[in-house]
Amino acid sequence: MSDRDLAGLGSAHVEVEVDRIRGAVRERARDEVAEEVPVAFVYNGEPFAVMLASPLDLEDFAVGFSLTEGVIGSVSEFGGVEVVPEANGYSVYVSVPKTRSAELSKRHKSLAGRTGCGLCGEQMLENALRPVPPVTQAATFTVAALQKAIVALSGGQQLNLLTGAVHAAAWADAEGDVRYLREDVGRHNALDKLIGALQRAGVDAGTGFAVVTSRASYEMVHKTAVAGIPMLAAVSAPTALAIRQAAAAGLTLVGFAREGRQTIYAHPARLQD
């Protein structure tokens, strides 16, 4: 089972009154909807980016975002995090080495990102498509393990079961058991939160694989590779750029990963019958 349960999800959803119509019947009812708030990342006192996200697992988000956005080179450079509630969202204050702060000033990722936006705010093309690091892990997985994880992913989405409005990213071990799962209104955010959770727990991410409820974009491939996860399986389709980048990086990329079927787009030898 994953480490995610209903505990602590209160801030991530709210109850609203709605008019529900089913056929000829109209009734006043109450519904659970996903919360969405601005989350500002501030490094060594300097604002860097504002993302719209679910107000959940923000410490994990800070670690994963910092790593996959290249703010830090490894989790050892992550000095600490403080999450501060604001009137309209959260400020996440992160400590990183001073040399990293100097590099951040060159990027100026100052525009607010839309929900789960991966490249929003980048002002230079060279920052938009950063090289995907090579995946060196030699782990292999079975189709049976992937199918087991797909089923567990669906059942483990507690916030989505309440609201029907969020994405999930999960990490499964070689047997297909989902050990970590994170949810967010943004697909990139969910994956960053998952990566942060793995890093904070000291898990060897290369011994398992990731399953996500979204399509597989370049950014999802990039984040997975940065985390050292050798296989990414998405319930929807990949983009052509994602396939090219996965092929170049040595990452196994699986699309349409659903019960009873999957399509392998890059490095199929890692997924065995």
Side-chain angles (χ1 to χ4, degrees):
M1 295 294 292
S2 103
D3 67 331
R4 168 60 62 239
D5 56 32
L6 283 172
L9 296 184
S11 64
H13 62 95
V14 296
E15 192 177 70
V16 299
E17 289 190 353
V18 299
D19 278 19
R20 184 169 289 133
I21 302 173
R22 292 191 176 104
V25 179
R26 179 175 185 146
E27 62 179 353
R28 195 69 174 159
R30 302 190 69 81
D31 199 12
E32 296 287 347
V33 298
E35 187 59 271
E36 179 181 31
V37 301
V39 176
F41 287 102
V42 183
Y43 292 94
N44 293 355
E46 294 294 327
F48 178 64
V50 179
M51 307 298 291
L52 289 173
S54 299
L56 185 69
D57 301 309
L58 295 183
E59 293 86 356
D60 291 339
F61 193 14
V63 175
F65 180 88
S66 300
L67 185 65
T68 64
E69 287 293 322
V71 177
I72 57 175
S74 68
V75 71
S76 64
E77 294 184 317
F78 194 89
V81 58
E82 181 183 6
V83 177
V84 178
E86 307 286 5
N88 297 315
Y90 292 84
S91 292
V92 180
Y93 294 92
V94 182
S95 299
V96 296
K98 290 183 179 180
T99 53
R100 290 291 181 180
S101 292
E103 294 175 10
L104 288 179
S105 65
K106 301 176 184 177
R107 291 177 60 183
H108 291 295
K109 191 172 183 180
S110 58
L111 300 180
R114 296 184 297 275
T115 302
C117 182
L119 300 177
C120 297
E122 293 290 5
Q123 298 175 338
M124 302 295 291
L125 286 175
E126 56 264 33
N127 290 334
L129 295 180
R130 290 168 288 141
V132 178
V135 175
T136 59
Q137 290 78 4
T140 60
F141 311 103
T142 65
V143 171
L146 175 57
Q147 285 292 310
K148 183 178 181 181
I150 291 168
V151 173
L153 175 68
S154 178
Q157 298 173 59
Q158 299 295 339
L159 182 56
N160 194 59
L161 289 173
L162 284 173
T163 67
V166 299
H167 284 293
W171 183 86
D173 61 23
E175 287 70 44
D177 292 317
V178 169
R179 300 300 185 183
Y180 292 85
L181 187 151
R182 293 294 182 267
E183 294 180 277
D184 196 276
V185 289
R187 56 196 172 92
H188 299 116
N189 298 345
L191 184 54
D192 274 337
K193 288 179 177 181
L194 173 68
I195 291 169
L198 295 173
Q199 292 290 329
R200 295 179 71 203
V203 174
D204 182 358
T207 61
F209 57 92
V211 186
V212 297
T213 59
S214 63
R215 70 181 185 275
S217 63
Y218 151 81
E219 190 78 355
M220 301 293 277
V221 166
H222 185 275
K223 290 177 182 294
T224 303
V226 167
I229 301 173
M231 185 171 78
L232 172 64
V235 300
S236 296
T239 66
L241 179 58
I243 295 170
R244 291 194 295 270
Q245 293 291 341
L251 174 77
T252 297
L253 181 59
V254 182
F256 298 107
R258 303 173 187 181
E259 288 190 57
R261 64 187 179 98
Q262 56 272 310
T263 302
I264 310 172
Y265 290 88
H267 297 281
R270 188 174 277 117
L271 186 60
Q272 303 176 351
D273 295 335

